[in-house]
Amino acid sequence: MNTITKSKFTETKFYQTLTSLMAKNETMLVISIVVMSIVIGTINNKFFAVETIYETLLATVIWGIVGMGVALVMINGGVDLSCMPIAMFSAYSATKIMLWIAPNAPIIVLFLIGMVIGAGLGLVNALFISIFKIPIFIATLALGVIYKAVMLEFIGNIYITPAEMPQSALDFSRTYVFGGLHVSVLIMLGVILLTFFILRFTVIGRGVYALGGAPESAERIGYNMNRLKFSIYIYAGIMYAIGGVVYVSNSRLADPYDMIGTELTVIAAVVLGGVSLMGGKGSVWGVLLGALLSVIIKNNLILIGVTSDWANFVFGLIFVLAVALQAYNTARSKKQSA
Amino acid sequence: METNVIELRDICKSFYGVQVLKNINLDLKVGEALCIAGENGSGKSTLIKIISGAYTYDYGTLKINGREYPTISPSQSISEGIQVIYQDFSLFPNLTVADNIGLGYHLLEDKKLFSKQACRKIAKQSLQRIGVEMDLERLVEDIPVAQKQIVAIARAIMQDAKVIIMDEPTTALTQKEINRLYEIINKLKESGVSIIFVSHKLDEIFAVCDRIFVIRNGKEVANYPVDQFERGKLSFYMTGSEVYEEPFEPEEIGEEPIFEVNSLAFKDYFRDISFAIKRGEILCITGRLGSGRTELAKSLFGVLPLTEGTVTLRGEQINIRSVPEAIKNKIAYVPDDRLAEGIFLEASIKNNLVSVVLNDIASKIGFLKEKTKDGPAKEWQEKLAIQANLEDPGKSLSGGNQQRVVLGKWLASTPDVFVMNCPTVGVDVKSKSEIHILIRELASQNIAVLLISDDIGEILNNSNRVIVMNDGRISYEAETKNLDYDSLSAKITEII
């Protein structure tokens, strides 16, 4: 008698876990990635080679790192269109500054200069959003344009060639670990873990969700709104800068016209990763999976002879399906509670 | 020695040149339960917001725990132990129950790191204190409105509160839960916590409060210990005029039922529900939360699809499988969660009032001139005495006026059946009695009115028949004139 009820209990529990797992966005992403990999891998078995996996991860790095900042701002309730302008501004200026004051400094200096600039631009974002209460989308759209213009006018509009790049950046681009994994993948993982830690285990991190879910309530329970918003935008600015520096180092070229214009790609990856455009919801692992899935579709479908137009079509299709599924799940859980 | 937790002296506050508080003097003693009563717009919300630090005051002095605060911020107020349970609960829909209860504690203690375990522990403790069990890992957006309120209360008492301000805390609670709330309040009082209880329900005030402070047009009009307060005087103080409700007596009950349902069922929520409403009648359905009354109301409006049973309107069988179908069959519905389901908060009052009849007033190919909306909007604004500019957004209205807008938008569609799910929740005394008058008018106009309510006074005064639901079935049915407060209350709380 006892054993029967017990097994029944575990069975329903198992079923519950299964359904809640299926409703999770991350699960759907993992399934999509696995399916996509099997399809690509069976047609072109090179895909399962360690090198291909490492390469895919390397291609994910920029989206993963910049995506952390974009995700944070989106959880807080808005779309940050200034991500790539800040990334490029910080990376290009940092390279110029380093070449000017200490061309032989180690790579960490390049990162630090970039991060300071990124933090500064994040502060400007925060100023307009927090003090002047401009909607995030509009503020970052306008400021992104300004950042680009300021960079081209005052910092420079000529790209820094590989021959001119700081030696440490060139060395960085050739640094591999674990038999061929590029070091910037580790930076991405570090940044994701850090963001995960902040969002999950700090009061300010929970505040990001609280603010995204119900701003007035967040203020009422005692959050300092300005401090919270400034922290978010400065942190996001630093993430963009890290992404930018990794990008220019890896491409051994600092082209001020590069990167800017790909904002929507990273935003799409973040949304695909399950971060709600309405704010208040999303996880860093979802963002990583979303970035990974976009890269697999866009870079690796070519391996099996799919043209880039069709790859984009597949990406768009998966994107719209993912968003539809998220919306469906939200509606269903609402109905269940009604 | 009696000490005051809060002392207000000559507090004044103006908005844009309009004085909303005039020389308010108020003392709150340790362990005292004070009721602040007043109509909407009387200034009681402003008063609360001044104490909680949401507004700054223009003139006067504010002392909390003996310390004078020329200005006070929300976080200062919280660290002085003042907790407000707002009417909208101020919860985070996207966070779990545990996080909602525990997050404030982290802020209060000025912690940098967030601990999920600590949240769970705190949530468990404070829910235990109220005697409620709840799934701590559910998202707040997924739980019903009554549970949201419990979460809000649990959050307030978990922090080391000295004063808990409850802004109409019983609106979404059933009688049993209200009784439990009284117990909690008494316990809190014994442990030296002071309560400010914003309410205009007499029963509540006399059940828990020690003193009543009545405010009208920003001025103090009464401040008495409860035992010296005349029960009948409250609405007089609040409105400046006497309000008395005659018990409802149907003028003339028709022979044929307007609206009739037979053995309705929806999944596990309710079954075997049959009743008929004749012309002139107001039928009330009541029951505890979870008795199925809310689900039944929603089913009758097509929100939840009926799994069994037939519905007959004026002799013809109809289907209500969806909301549009219900509307097509001239069924109107006032939801219990007004803010979420009843009113478009951001849209203008005008657009709210015409929202149900858009198709009827638009041209054949679907164009709608702004001017066309004015007619019906003005008509219902006047009929329902909504004192506001039609262009103002719905959220700018007080609870009573919002409910008038909700009623108005449906009345514009000339319904045959009006399902009202707790229509006077969160509505001031005067609006409440006006809504009651309106409901009676509807009944006399050949509209079948189904009132769902758990306010026993309201039921007895405003319906001629009552059905009590218990565990998804009809457990009792009677004419209200044969019932009194206690006998109906007993039927509702009866456990089968």
Side-chain angles (χ1 to χ4, degrees), chain B residues 361-372:
Chain B
I361 61 175
S363 74
K364 273 192 188 130
I365 51 168
F367 282 108
L368 179 58
K369 277 194 204 139
E370 198 57 31
K371 268 192 183 162
T372 324

Side-chain angles (χ1 to χ4, degrees), chain B residues 247-273:
Chain B
F248 169 71
E249 262 188 63
E251 292 166 15
E252 188 199 344
I253 296 182
E255 286 297 308
E256 288 296 307
I258 303 178
F259 186 66
E260 194 175 358
V261 302
N262 261 308
S263 28
L264 298 184
F266 173 66
K267 290 186 187 163
D268 303 334
Y269 293 102
F270 59 82
R271 59 212 166 278
D272 302 328
I273 303 291

Side-chain angles (χ1 to χ4, degrees), chain A residues 94-106:
Chain A
T95 316
K96 277 216 139 183
I97 291 169
M98 188 152 124
L99 285 172
W100 178 40
I101 54 167
N104 295 318

Side-chain angles (χ1 to χ4, degrees), chain B residues 116-178:
Chain B
K116 203 137 187 83
Q117 281 76 25
C119 274
R120 285 188 66 92
K121 211 176 123 197
I122 292 160
K124 229 182 209 158
Q125 278 172 358
S126 59
L127 285 170
Q128 243 165 27
R129 216 166 141 191
I130 328 179
V132 185
E133 267 191 40
M134 211 185 277
D135 184 353
L136 295 177
E137 289 310 314
R138 278 190 86 180
L139 293 182
V140 163
E141 65 188 356
D142 293 339
I143 62 176
V145 63
Q147 286 193 20
K148 284 182 190 160
Q149 177 149 30
I150 290 167
V151 174
I153 294 172
R155 182 173 73 180
I157 61 169
M158 103 17 237
Q159 297 179 350
D160 189 20
K162 294 201 176 67
V163 179
I164 295 181
I165 302 174
M166 302 187 182
D167 193 355
E168 299 189 32
T170 59
T171 47
L173 301 189
T174 57
Q175 194 55 46
K176 193 176 155 204
E177 286 160 334
I178 290 172

Side-chain angles (χ1 to χ4, degrees), chain B residues 115-361:
Chain B
S115 155
K116 203 137 187 83
Q117 281 76 25
C119 274
R120 285 188 66 92
K121 211 176 123 197
I122 292 160
K124 229 182 209 158
Q125 278 172 358
S126 59
L127 285 170
Q128 243 165 27
R129 216 166 141 191
I130 328 179
V132 185
E133 267 191 40
M134 211 185 277
D135 184 353
L136 295 177
E137 289 310 314
R138 278 190 86 180
L139 293 182
V140 163
E141 65 188 356
D142 293 339
I143 62 176
V145 63
Q147 286 193 20
K148 284 182 190 160
Q149 177 149 30
I150 290 167
V151 174
I153 294 172
R155 182 173 73 180
I157 61 169
M158 103 17 237
Q159 297 179 350
D160 189 20
K162 294 201 176 67
V163 179
I164 295 181
I165 302 174
M166 302 187 182
D167 193 355
E168 299 189 32
T170 59
T171 47
L173 301 189
T174 57
Q175 194 55 46
K176 193 176 155 204
E177 286 160 334
I178 290 172
N179 290 339
R180 194 160 53 202
L181 180 68
Y182 293 165
E183 283 169 30
I184 298 164
I185 289 176
N186 286 327
K187 257 191 231 162
L188 289 170
K189 273 162 64 179
E190 279 164 28
S191 60
V193 178
S194 312
I195 311 280
I196 294 180
F197 197 86
V198 178
S199 176
H200 28 236
K201 287 188 192 157
L202 275 169
D203 303 324
E204 284 173 21
I205 295 170
F206 284 89
V208 292
C209 294
D210 306 312
R211 201 150 53 89
I212 300 183
F213 182 89
V214 186
I215 182 169
R216 187 171 78 225
N217 295 329
K219 274 194 264 186
E220 171 189 324
V221 286
N223 186 358
Y224 298 116
V226 157
D227 45 22
Q228 292 167 29
F229 194 88
E230 259 183 83
R231 276 185 95 114
K233 282 281 181 152
L234 181 66
S235 54
F236 169 70
Y237 282 128
M238 282 170 54
T239 58
S241 61
E242 300 273 0
V243 176
Y244 172 71
E245 274 192 3
E246 291 266 352
F248 169 71
E249 262 188 63
E251 292 166 15
E252 188 199 344
I253 296 182
E255 286 297 308
E256 288 296 307
I258 303 178
F259 186 66
E260 194 175 358
V261 302
N262 261 308
S263 28
L264 298 184
F266 173 66
K267 290 186 187 163
D268 303 334
Y269 293 102
F270 59 82
R271 59 212 166 278
D272 302 328
I273 303 291
S274 305
F275 59 81
I277 307 173
K278 289 176 184 156
R279 186 162 62 81
E281 275 196 310
I282 299 175
L283 176 66
C284 181
I285 292 186
T286 185
R288 283 172 299 181
L289 221 67
S291 62
R293 63 178 162 97
T294 309
E295 287 78 9
L296 174 63
K298 287 188 171 177
S299 291
L300 292 174
F301 190 56
V303 181
L304 303 172
L306 287 165
T307 39
E308 267 171 56
T310 56
V311 180
T312 315
L313 177 64
R314 299 195 194 281
E316 268 178 59
Q317 196 175 322
I318 58 167
N319 285 317
I320 27 176
R321 287 163 302 204
S322 66
V323 175
E325 226 169 359
I327 295 174
K328 210 180 77 198
N329 284 307
K330 297 263 173 205
I331 297 172
Y333 176 67
V334 175
D336 53 346
D337 191 348
R338 179 174 59 240
L339 296 177
E341 297 172 4
I343 188 159
F344 300 104
L345 289 168
E346 303 294 335
S348 69
I349 297 166
K350 178 161 81 177
N351 280 335
N352 265 292
L353 281 171
V354 298
S355 55
V356 180
V357 294
L358 283 178
N359 280 331
D360 305 329
I361 61 175

